[in-house]
Amino acid sequence: KQWYQRRVRGEDLLTFFKSLDEFTPSLPDSLTAHYLAQAGLHTSDPRIIRLVSLAAQKFVTEVAADALVHSTMRGHPSTGGSKKSRDKRNYLTVEDLQPALADMGVNIKKPAYYM
């Protein structure tokens, strides 16, 4: 079965919701609460804030992983500088980010540079 076809038992959902108290997200609660308030959602329940933080963290992680896949598929050089360099770092570029975000339904365009 697909993930959306499975039924979640009430006990499983309750256990997950209680585990959010112990979860420390990458995004601070104050940052998530600020943007939730800007969007019109005012809540004092830290589990709701952490649930949104978890969803945002998952989204960013998936986009970054997809961008890395797109980078390696198009043969983007992963090293900066000379080819003899042993420092192998991956750089996130807009060319890699565009298809990764498009897969998630977010369309971005590279800004035009004016001289």
Side-chain angles (χ1 to χ4, degrees), residues 3 15 27 33-34 75 104 106 112:
W3 65 270
T15 303
L27 297 172
H34 169 75
M104 299 287 189
V106 179

Side-chain angles (χ1 to χ4, degrees), residues 60-74 76 90-101 103-104:
V60 169
T61 302
E62 287 181 358
V63 168
D66 286 349
L68 179 62
V69 168
H70 286 288
S71 175
T72 56
M73 283 177 43
R74 68 180 188 97
H76 189 267
N90 292 317
Y91 299 99
L92 181 64
T93 63
V94 174
E95 289 82 14
D96 301 327
L97 196 57
Q98 279 177 326
L101 284 171
D103 291 345
M104 299 287 189

Side-chain angles (χ1 to χ4, degrees), residues 1-10 12-13:
K1 287 186 175 182
Q2 296 290 334
W3 65 270
Y4 53 84
Q5 291 176 338
R6 282 188 248 149
R7 292 184 182 217
V8 178
R9 294 188 328 214
D12 294 339
L13 191 57

